[in-house]
Amino acid sequence: MVHMVALGAMSHSVMVWSTHFATTLLKTAPDLDSRAAQGRRLLLLHAGAVLVLVGVPTSLWPATVVGATLVVAAVAWHAVALWRRLRHALPGRFRVTVRSYLAAAACLPVGALLGTLLARGPDDEMHARLVVAHSLVNVLGWLGITVVATVVTLWPTMLRAPMDADAERRARTALPVLVGGLALAVTAALVGSRMLVAVGLLVYLAGLARSASSMAGPARARPPRHHAPASVAAGLLWLVVGVLAVAWRVATAPTWADAATGYDAVAAVFVVGFMLQVLLGALSHLVPSVIGGGPSVVRAGMREMDRWWVLRLVVVNGGLALCLLPVPSGARVLCSVLVLVALVVFVPLLFRAVRACVAQRRAIAERVAKGEPPPSLSQGRAEVAAVLDAPVPVHQLGAGLAVLALAVAAGPATAPVLGTDVPATASEQVAPTGVTRDVEVTATADMTFEPSRVDVDPGDRVVITVRSTDASTRHDLVFDDEHRSERIGEGESSTLDLGVVGSTREGFCSVTGHRLMGMTFTVAVRGETAGGTQGSDGGGHTGHDGTAGAAMPGSGVAGLGGSGSGGSPFALDPTARWSDGFEAADAVLPPLDDDRVHRVTLTVRETTAEVAPGVRATRWTFDDGSGRTGPGPVLHGRVGDRFVITLVNDGSMGHSVDLHAGELAPDRPMRTIAPGERLTYTFTATRAGMWMYHCSTMPMSTHIGAGMHGAVVIEPEDLPEVDRSYVLVASEMHLGAPDADGVRPVDAEAAAGDRPSLMTFNGAAFQYDTQPLPARVGERVRIWLLAAGPSRPTSFHVVGGQLDTTWLEGAYTLDRRDAGAGGAQTLGLLPAQGGFVETRFVQAGRYPFVSHVMADAERGAHGVFEVTDRR
């Protein structure tokens, strides 16, 4: 979204506007830069922008490089055209404006280079430094310096007021300050000096203040009373806010990585507050003026552009401010929608303005055709002045504030219901005391609620405000379906009204596994007799993490399936069949290529998948874009290869990634990130092995068992070629009772208690029975194996076959190339161990492969090699 606005809409406008203003101010001949050449530059710009918009989110670095190169070429061409105009122009005023455009154009190639380096996937600290430097040089340089230089001359024109006599000198002295402050901030970011970044930004603000001071005189002469100047002024104020926000964030953050965490709030300030408001304000003024036809035509366009202008500006600016404050998430969503609507309304108003201008021009032409005089120039100017001097519609100000107030109030569970006539919860018919207990509870990063208990009298009404200080994930507080808070992130809050309580209630965080980690909160009723506690499920309610109030012992059916504590025994139906269209996970090892740098984006998703015949379950996955629901993608490389892993959390809770194939301190790259955030994990493979990667967020047994694991194959040197290579990742699943749609949730208690429901190869039980893995007689087949656990080992065995090569944890335990080597029947792997085995099939037929932990084979760790004769 940032690149769509900044690199697309704003960069297009900058190139068009700066060409227009340079031509006007310098009074140069049009043939110095033809319209055709300008059009080709814009096409080049947009072609590059499209490639960047494709390359960045898909991690296609070549597309990003080509796109950035095209953008730089377009802007360089634009700068050359401006320089030619400046060189051929006669001496005149405001040449400094064109020099500012050239300085701004010089910033964009630097920003493009930094963005290209950013797309290479550096480590966390360098990623953060590049993010800050890239955003500053593009937003404050390429866009900011251009806007500031343009506003010096555009502002008085918008207001139809005299220009400040000292405006040119102030602009001339401000330019080196702006450029110097920006250069200091960007250089400091690249070398890692956070305090110098803040100093550079303060210097930039001094230059901004120097140039913008020339806006005060025209504003005093004719205060902004319509949309165009008011929107531009609001945009410049948000530019100041954004610069201060970056300076404060960088100067006060403990590390560079912390400074870049949550940088999307700064992006919102720059994109919505600064860029879009300046863009829309400038268009409001320029579109009627460019259409031409005299003051009466301009007035017709202005009248359309100014519809509900105060209401729109209040909603955009007030809504953005509320979104940046720690308001409840429901209110933030509503305010975001209102801001979007207020911005989008500009589009139909723009079409209405164009239509009104054209209609007015036609009306004038018809009058002239009839021999009637057109509106006089003085009459048209008087009409425009009437618009400019019209009183501000104060009623729209009140309406805008009222709309925002309603959005905040309508946010789900943001404020307690007023009054004391709240009905008692089920089975708690007790006389209300009329006392309301307002309780504040904090969800912490230690997986606790602080405080974890509150004591109340029978009949008290309890209103709980939950706040979060955990930056890594989201939390909620649930008592039952009717009494639950929203899921909130760091700095957010949510309020729930528990009503009048007559017995002790226990609440919990419903994010899967958090309750198991101790995130419970008790509302204890004083003087309650033993046995009076009301369960956290509110009387029969099943927990939202898929667990019920008490664990139930499970049993298998026909020897298949175990059970967890999901509220009912788990059993496989031996008559069940896979659904139509089911395809087994591809077990073929991805081939190696010549690239020694591997870039992979792992997107955390929470989805539903068929995990056994007739069984659908909730799965948490590392998705590389393939839409897989089994283990994450197999990463394949050699010793010395570099891996750049981008983790994107599109889930509803905190997640992380731990890659055993790398050696580096876990503090930053393996940290848990909140929903909507991303991190980059870079490592170099130094040792061969069949390595595991997995989510290391607690409770780890739940996250790994839910599907958040995968394999990294780093081949040993001189590994002989084989005919076929397969990858099998063994893991267990822990499933709760099915919901109304028949989907079984993750059972955190069963995972913690090592009570698997299913055992799988590559994320689904028995899938390779129905869709066997192919081989031919005499072919050498290598099977890479990983025991992902989270808790159980595996013992790989091929029924009817023998293993002549086994490689365990980086070393051969049996090598067919050794004279007199024997054979092996299994390769045993403890959780998180890996290796490979090799075999040849001597006859055609179906060769089952199993975990020889037979109970696990009967739970689903079972498949078939379909061996056919050679042709």
Side-chain angles (χ1 to χ4, degrees):
M1 185 63 70
V2 171
H3 284 91
M4 286 179 66
V5 175
L7 192 57
M10 283 298 292
S11 293
H12 176 102
S13 300
V14 161
M15 290 177 64
V16 172
W17 295 348
S18 54
T19 298
H20 171 74
F21 278 94
T23 304
T24 303
L25 293 171
L26 299 177
K27 299 179 175 60
T28 52
D31 57 2
L32 280 175
D33 183 24
S34 67
R35 288 290 181 90
Q38 296 173 32
R40 286 193 287 270
R41 285 202 299 270
L42 292 176
L43 287 176
L44 192 63
L45 171 73
H46 287 295
V50 169
L51 286 174
V52 171
L53 289 171
V54 171
V56 170
T58 60
S59 298
L60 293 175
W61 195 67
T64 305
V65 172
V66 173
T69 302
L70 295 179
V71 170
V72 169
V75 173
W77 185 2
H78 168 72
V80 170
L82 292 178
W83 177 78
R84 290 186 64 211
R85 287 192 182 278
L86 188 63
R87 185 182 175 193
H88 286 81
L90 296 174
R93 298 184 65 196
F94 288 103
R95 294 169 65 90
V96 65
T97 299
V98 183
R99 294 192 183 100
S100 298
Y101 293 157
L102 292 173
C107 291
L108 190 122
V110 178
L113 174 62
L114 297 177
T116 304
L117 295 175
L118 190 62
R120 288 283 292 176
D123 59 33
D124 274 2
E125 178 173 339
M126 182 53 69
H127 180 275
R129 286 154 58 179
L130 286 173
V131 164
V132 173
H134 170 69
S135 62
L136 292 182
V137 75
N138 280 344
V139 175
L140 305 188
W142 167 236
L143 301 180
I145 292 177
T146 300
V147 168
V148 171
T150 303
V151 166
V152 170
T153 56
L154 185 62
W155 178 255
T157 306
M158 286 182 174
L159 297 176
R160 306 302 200 273
M163 180 178 292
D164 191 309
D166 207 23
E168 184 182 9
R169 185 177 66 84
R170 289 173 179 169
R172 191 166 52 247
T173 55
L175 179 59
V177 180
L178 289 168
V179 173
L182 179 60
L184 175 60
V186 172
T187 304
L190 294 177
V191 301
S193 176
R194 291 187 285 116
M195 290 307 299
L196 280 181
V197 172
V199 172
L201 291 177
L202 293 178
V203 172
Y204 182 91
L205 282 179
L208 182 61
R210 174 66 175 167
S211 183
S213 61
S214 60
M215 297 171 62
R220 283 194 298 267
R222 177 170 266 156
R225 296 179 182 272
H226 65 114
H227 180 258
S231 184
V232 169
L236 292 176
L237 288 176
W238 279 111
L239 174 62
V240 173
V241 171
V243 174
L244 289 174
V246 175
W248 175 259
R249 175 181 290 273
V250 172
T252 60
T255 66
W256 274 103
D258 290 317
T261 300
Y263 208 69
D264 54 343
V266 175
V269 169
F270 283 136
V271 171
V272 178
F274 166 53
M275 297 181 201
L276 287 178
Q277 292 204 99
V278 168
L279 176 64
L280 300 187
L283 286 175
S284 294
H285 170 77
L286 291 174
V287 168
S289 301
V290 169
I291 291 176
S296 61
V297 175
V298 172
R299 175 181 175 273
M302 290 175 58
R303 189 164 49 194
E304 295 297 333
M305 288 293 195
D306 284 350
R307 287 185 183 274
W308 318 299
W309 71 272
V310 173
L311 174 63
R312 287 153 49 203
L313 288 181
V314 170
V315 171
V316 170
N317 292 278
L320 177 58
L322 287 171
C323 288
L324 298 174
L325 295 174
V327 298
S329 57
R332 182 175 291 109
V333 170
L334 290 177
C335 288
S336 300
V337 172
L338 289 173
V339 170
L340 178 62
V341 170
L343 292 171
V344 171
V345 163
F346 177 84
V347 176
L349 292 180
L350 177 63
F351 284 108
R352 287 177 60 97
V354 171
R355 188 172 60 184
C357 290
V358 171
Q360 183 65 16
R361 288 188 63 170
R362 288 175 179 170
I364 294 174
E366 290 174 358
R367 289 182 58 180
V368 172
K370 294 177 182 178
E372 300 177 7
S376 65
L377 186 61
S378 60
Q379 179 183 353
R381 288 175 175 173
E383 291 176 350
V384 172
V387 175
L388 297 175
D389 296 330
V392 175
V394 180
H395 66 283
Q396 292 185 22
L397 174 64
L401 294 175
V403 167
L404 294 175
L406 286 173
V408 173
T414 57
V417 180
L418 298 179
T420 58
D421 54 342
V422 179
T425 55
S427 73
E428 292 189 71
Q429 300 303 322
V430 62
T433 62
V435 175
T436 298
R437 291 293 306 275
D438 292 305
V439 182
E440 289 200 1
V441 178
T442 301
T444 73
D446 297 326
M447 292 287 184
T448 60
F449 286 118
E450 293 182 359
S452 62
R453 172 189 174 105
V454 63
D455 294 315
V456 301
D457 292 322
D460 284 358
R461 174 187 172 207
V462 179
V463 177
I464 304 171
T465 299
V466 187
R467 306 186 188 280
S468 175
T469 58
D470 188 353
S472 67
T473 188
R474 304 182 74 82
H475 298 287
D476 59 14
L477 178 57
V478 173
F479 289 87
D480 53 49
D481 279 336
E482 296 181 0
H483 303 94
R484 57 186 304 145
S485 74
E486 290 185 331
R487 285 195 178 175
I488 56 174
E490 182 185 30
E492 298 178 341
S493 65
S494 180
T495 301
L496 67 93
D497 191 335
L498 195 56
V500 174
V501 295
S503 61
T504 295
R505 306 288 305 279
E506 183 178 282
F508 59 95
C509 178
S510 73
V511 176
T512 305
H514 288 196
R515 181 183 182 189
L516 190 66
M517 298 296 296
M519 290 202 73
T520 60
F521 178 78
T522 302
V523 178
V525 175
R526 298 185 183 97
E528 187 176 42
T529 58
T533 301
Q534 182 177 358
S536 63
D537 299 322
H541 169 71
T542 301
H544 293 271
D545 58 355
T547 61
M552 296 184 66
S555 61
V557 173
L560 299 179
S563 74
S565 59
S568 66
F570 178 84
L572 280 173
D573 180 358
T575 66
R577 296 292 180 266
W578 294 101
S579 63
D580 293 340
F582 173 80
E583 291 187 8
D586 186 3
V588 176
L589 175 68
L592 279 175
D593 55 28
D594 295 332
D595 196 349
R596 302 305 299 269
V597 179
H598 308 273
R599 294 180 182 82
V600 180
T601 297
L602 299 176
T603 302
V604 176
R605 303 193 192 280
E606 297 166 11
T607 185
T608 299
E610 191 172 10
V611 297
V615 180
R616 290 192 303 141
T618 298
R619 306 303 291 151
W620 306 345
T621 66
F622 289 115
D623 185 0
D624 64 342
S626 62
R628 71 183 74 238
T629 53
V634 176
L635 311 183
H636 191 188
R638 314 168 187 83
V639 174
D641 283 6
R642 183 167 173 259
F643 289 81
V644 181
I645 311 298
T646 300
L647 178 68
V648 180
N649 189 353
D650 275 358
S652 64
M653 66 193 79
H655 290 288
S656 57
V657 63
D658 172 3
L659 288 119
H660 293 188
E663 285 185 294
L664 66 169
D667 307 65
R668 300 301 304 176
M670 301 182 197
R671 72 184 186 274
T672 298
I673 60 173
E677 294 187 358
R678 65 170 56 204
L679 64 78
T680 301
Y681 187 134
T682 302
F683 71 91
T684 299
T686 57
R687 294 180 177 87
M690 176 57 156
W691 304 96
M692 180 179 178
Y693 67 88
H694 61 91
C695 180
S696 57
T697 299
M698 297 299 288
M700 217 176 297
S701 60
T702 300
H703 287 248
I704 296 174
M708 301 201 71
H709 57 264
V712 183
V713 176
I714 304 299
E715 292 190 0
E717 293 184 5
D718 302 323
L719 182 67
E721 292 187 2
V722 294
D723 298 297
R724 298 178 188 266
S725 289
Y726 292 114
V727 177
L728 296 176
V729 179
S731 64
E732 61 250 33
M733 291 185 186
H734 313 87
L735 308 180
D739 61 17
D741 296 322
V743 178
R744 292 182 176 267
V746 178
D747 189 332
E749 291 185 14
D754 190 18
R755 297 188 298 275
S757 306
L758 293 172
M759 301 299 298
T760 75
F761 285 124
N762 292 347
F766 303 110
Q767 61 179 325
Y768 300 119
D769 285 10
T770 305
Q771 300 179 28
L773 302 180
R776 295 188 186 280
V777 172
E779 286 184 335
R780 175 155 294 279
V781 179
R782 179 179 294 138
I783 304 105
W784 292 86
L785 300 164
L786 174 68
S791 302
R792 297 181 70 82
T794 191
S795 179
F796 183 78
H797 171 67
V798 179
V799 179
Q802 292 183 346
L803 312 175
D804 61 16
T805 301
T806 57
W807 191 79
L808 173 65
E809 289 291 278
Y812 285 97
T813 56
L814 175 64
D815 191 342
R816 61 181 170 83
R817 296 171 293 183
D818 293 341
Q825 54 201 319
T826 66
L827 180 66
L829 302 172
L830 295 174
Q833 285 190 327
F836 67 77
V837 300
E838 293 180 10
T839 189
R840 284 182 185 271
F841 297 103
V842 297
Q843 294 179 343
R846 290 171 60 88
Y847 292 76
F849 59 86
V850 299
S851 171
H852 222 284
V853 181
M854 294 313 300
D856 290 347
E858 294 167 353
R859 289 188 179 100
H862 191 290
V864 172
F865 287 110
E866 185 80 54
V867 181
T868 57
D869 287 319
R870 285 187 177 274
R871 295 179 181 175

